Amino acid sequence: MDVEKDPRDLEGQSTEYVDSAKLGAVEAVGDGSRWQRFKDSFKPADLRDQNLEGLSEVERAAIATANSPLNRSLKNRHIQMIAIGGSIGTGLFVGSGGSLSTGGPASLLIGFFLVGTMLFCTIHALGELTVRFPVAGSFATYATRFVDPAWGFAMGWNYVLQWIVAFPLELVAASMTIQFWKGDGNPAATVNPAAWVSVFYVLIVAINFFGAKGYGEAEFAFSLIKVIAVIGFIILGIVLTCGGGPHGGYIGGRYWHDPGAFAAGFKGLCSVFVNAAFAFSGTELVGLASAETQNPRKSLPKATKQVFWRILLFYIISLTIVGLLVPYNDPNLLSDSDVDIAASPFVIAIKNAGISGLPSVFNVVVLISVLSVGNSSVYASSRTIAALGAQRQAPRIFGYIDRAGRPLTGIVITAIFGLICFVCASDKQEDVFNWLLAISGLSSIFTWASVCFCHLRFRAGLKRQGRSTRELMFKSGVGYIGSIYGFCMNMLVLIAQFWTALFPVGESPSAEAFFEIYLAAPIVIVCYVGYKIWYRPPFVRAKDMDLDTGARQIDIDSLEQEIAEEREYIRSRGWLYRVYSFWC
């Protein structure tokens, strides 16, 4: 929402919001030295319009998050690369080894394929919502608007815990990846891990103090390296499978016959569901970044479509090759660490082929992946904290956003929590980090299920109020049915996780083992029930649903004309371009 007054004249008025681009222009030409302007950039910019005084808290929160002064500095290339490489990390490079060991190559492919189809539907639902409502902290905001404020509160804090816990975990994981070179006598591996943790901590916090642009540029570089590494492995894997490695000999489907395609039957497949969900976590960050995207109408639909290629190319094809090159009973696959590069099936495949040097290259890629997740942790948690503050579901100071568009309080809170990483110098670090990991273990599943349910509720609201999907700038490619499928699949993953947590594969049941896997569920339940009892918010009914507040204003006739012109242009380019535009 634009404000016509000079933003400086509004300082101290806590009830007005200022357009960030206009504010930035004023500050750029303002008086004072560069140092003074830098200091002024930390002053609050979350000024609100006095015209909002008659609105409800939910309506005020929606406008606050939709028109927050977060700088829309993420460009199309940032969004596309985050969409392609954002979720490529240790879950794929290392965690897939545990899935292969417990499930076998067939379970590995089936599990990742089913979770991938679920995520494809989920991201399409999220794409429709974020293009319509590109608001900060989208997951919690949508739950508050379309389901129940209590559920929005639970989902907001669930998402904060997922990423704020991941920050110190990834810092320690990054220091652990360097220990891979200890056997080579590399001096870097002899340095105290706490020293490396300090370096990575300062680096990631500094990147995020540059705002959305700092995050976007870092993720662009990180994702590009990860994408190149996966494509390189696929090419190498095809050559090795066909017998072109140093040791020679055609491999083909040998390991699917001996030791076999399945390692532990149906329970092994269920365990792969859980690991696949962990590997895909972070895909939804494209939706979170929508509030800081220059043109969500153009960039977000493309990013949504590219999820298909990420699932197919970077997961299904690469894991198919892994299953061909590494037998599930390979002893090197077993490791208690999620960042033990020696247990990565990618590295094992390279070593088994007799290729030297490449394992170190993949260790660098794993290190970059870990730092990428740490960078995303600060970005995601700080934005969600700011949204919770704007919705009065956290102290108001949590919603503080400065003139440079940084959710300053959220970044500071995440940075303080990240200091837990120095527990790595203690002999209790394993116990501490096991329970931290348990807190965020199921968070992404709850988030994805909530996104699908919010999309179903949004469509129900449109229908109940007699409105059409014509007014949507982007519609989910799998529609209402896709969200039903995505929601049901998420529920099945939660059930499968409950079963494998209660009766672990190859282990005896225990309360400690159960809660180390399923702790996130009772946390979500406590947050929801506690908020519901304390504030007693009503469930949002379809006929009362607010479908306009916080939406980017559009002219439906102009939008339909624009879409018709785009379709006509696509038709005029031939069938190859039509296929490309549909999938990309």
Side-chain angles (χ1 to χ4, degrees):
M1 183 167 65
D2 293 334
V3 178
E4 298 300 326
K5 301 177 184 178
D6 186 330
R8 292 195 200 110
D9 296 336
L10 301 176
E11 288 182 20
Q13 298 181 28
S14 61
T15 56
E16 292 227 18
Y17 256 85
V18 175
D19 180 83
S20 60
K22 190 172 293 184
L23 177 61
V26 172
E27 290 302 315
V29 298
D31 297 331
S33 65
R34 181 178 298 178
W35 172 246
Q36 184 61 43
R37 291 197 297 272
F38 172 74
K39 291 192 296 182
D40 289 343
S41 72
F42 291 93
K43 293 181 178 180
D46 53 336
L47 309 174
R48 301 181 186 175
D49 195 323
Q50 293 177 354
N51 294 331
L52 302 181
E53 288 183 354
L55 301 180
S56 68
E57 286 295 313
V58 174
E59 291 171 326
R60 294 170 67 91
I63 292 178
T65 54
N67 297 283
S68 65
L70 294 170
N71 288 329
R72 295 192 174 110
S73 55
L74 291 179
K75 300 179 181 178
N76 183 60
R77 65 182 177 88
H78 296 137
I79 294 298
Q80 304 313 315
M81 193 54 70
I82 291 171
I84 293 173
S87 67
I88 299 175
T90 54
L92 173 63
F93 292 131
V94 182
S96 58
S99 298
L100 178 61
S101 177
T102 57
S107 292
L108 182 69
L109 285 183
I110 294 171
F112 271 81
F113 175 78
L114 290 177
V115 174
T117 58
M118 172 267 288
L119 191 60
F120 180 78
C121 296
T122 301
I123 297 303
H124 266 264
L126 180 61
E128 180 177 311
L129 291 173
T130 52
V131 173
R132 172 67 171 168
F133 304 97
V135 298
S138 55
F139 318 119
T141 306
Y142 299 149
T144 299
R145 295 277 304 281
F146 306 132
V147 182
D148 183 354
W151 186 245
F153 174 81
M155 285 299 96
W157 283 108
N158 166 72
Y159 202 68
V160 169
L161 287 174
Q162 174 184 344
W163 288 109
I164 204 171
V165 163
F167 183 38
L169 285 173
E170 298 303 322
L171 291 173
V172 174
S175 68
M176 290 172 61
T177 59
I178 295 177
Q179 302 304 307
F180 173 78
W181 288 296
K182 185 175 288 185
D184 299 335
N186 193 310
T190 63
V191 177
N192 191 314
W196 285 114
V197 165
S198 302
V199 172
F200 298 142
Y201 176 88
V202 172
L203 173 65
I204 291 175
V205 172
I207 287 173
N208 280 271
F209 266 102
F210 282 95
K213 188 173 184 179
Y215 164 75
E217 294 293 350
E219 281 305 298
F220 181 84
F222 291 154
S223 296
L224 183 61
I225 293 172
K226 292 185 288 185
V227 167
I228 292 173
V230 173
I231 293 175
F233 176 81
I234 290 173
I235 296 172
L236 174 64
I238 294 173
V239 172
L240 295 178
T241 304
C242 296
H247 290 171
Y250 177 75
I251 298 175
R254 178 191 308 168
Y255 298 129
W256 280 64
H257 297 284
D258 182 21
F262 294 94
F266 184 68
K267 183 179 287 188
L269 175 61
C270 290
S271 68
V272 173
F273 284 149
V274 177
N275 293 333
F278 169 75
F280 280 118
S281 63
T283 303
E284 73 286 343
L285 284 172
V286 173
L288 191 68
S290 63
E292 298 174 81
T293 304
Q294 288 181 345
N295 190 352
R297 160 76 177 89
K298 298 291 186 180
S299 58
L300 288 179
K302 289 183 178 180
T304 299
K305 294 176 183 179
Q306 288 174 357
V307 170
F308 171 81
W309 295 108
R310 179 174 56 210
I311 294 170
L312 175 65
L313 180 63
F314 300 126
Y315 283 90
I316 303 303
I317 295 180
S318 65
L319 292 178
T320 298
I321 292 174
V322 161
L324 292 173
L325 294 176
V326 183
Y328 73 74
N329 59 356
D330 191 308
N332 294 318
L333 287 173
L334 303 177
S335 174
D336 294 331
S337 173
D338 291 330
V339 290
D340 184 359
I341 187 65
S344 167
F346 291 78
V347 172
I348 294 171
I350 295 170
K351 284 185 174 180
N352 290 347
I355 302 174
S356 60
L358 275 183
S360 290
V361 173
F362 252 91
N363 193 53
V364 173
V365 175
V366 171
L367 176 61
I368 290 172
S369 300
V370 171
L371 293 177
S372 173
V373 176
N375 185 40
S376 298
S377 300
V378 179
Y379 178 85
S381 60
S382 62
R383 269 63 184 176
T384 310
I385 287 172
L388 289 170
Q391 295 178 90
R392 306 295 192 271
Q393 293 176 340
R396 289 189 62 177
I397 188 62
F398 283 25
Y400 185 99
I401 300 174
D402 64 20
R403 294 184 178 183
R406 294 169 297 219
L408 207 57
T409 303
I411 293 175
V412 170
I413 291 173
T414 306
I416 293 174
F417 194 89
L419 295 174
I420 294 176
C421 64
F422 290 103
V423 174
C424 68
S426 167
D427 57 356
K428 297 293 185 181
Q429 63 163 326
E430 185 174 349
D431 294 335
V432 172
F433 286 108
N434 280 343
W435 287 108
L436 286 178
L437 190 60
I439 292 175
S440 62
L442 292 176
S443 296
S444 58
I445 305 298
F446 282 107
T447 298
W448 297 338
S450 181
V451 167
C452 291
F453 191 60
C454 287
H455 180 243
L456 294 173
R457 293 286 301 150
F458 170 67
R459 285 291 187 94
L462 281 176
K463 184 177 180 180
R464 180 68 175 81
Q465 297 181 26
R467 298 173 63 167
S468 169
T469 56
R470 290 174 55 241
E471 61 188 83
L472 301 179
M473 290 182 283
F474 171 73
K475 286 180 280 190
S476 168
V478 289
Y480 195 86
I481 300 300
S483 291
I484 294 176
Y485 171 79
F487 180 79
C488 292
M489 280 298 300
N490 276 291
M491 292 297 101
L492 287 176
V493 171
L494 285 176
I495 294 171
Q497 176 73 313
F498 181 83
W499 183 34
T500 56
L502 201 59
F503 303 102
V505 178
E507 299 179 16
S508 300
S510 71
E512 182 178 357
F514 175 81
F515 283 109
E516 281 188 355
I517 296 175
Y518 222 76
L519 183 60
I523 290 177
V524 169
I525 293 172
V526 168
C527 287
Y528 176 76
V529 174
Y531 192 94
K532 197 74 174 176
I533 293 175
W534 187 265
Y535 292 101
R536 300 181 183 276
F539 188 82
V540 180
R541 302 172 65 182
K543 70 181 184 67
D544 301 324
M545 199 175 290
D546 181 2
L547 304 176
D548 296 304
T549 307
R552 292 262 173 105
Q553 296 301 315
I554 60 169
D555 184 311
I556 296 179
D557 293 332
S558 298
L559 174 64
E560 289 184 332
Q561 181 179 353
E562 181 182 349
I563 293 175
E565 290 174 354
E566 289 178 356
R567 288 175 177 171
E568 181 61 32
Y569 173 76
I570 292 172
R571 280 194 294 267
S572 68
R573 294 291 299 274
W575 70 273
L576 282 176
Y577 188 81
R578 288 199 296 271
V579 172
Y580 169 80
S581 63
F582 178 81
W583 290 107
C584 301

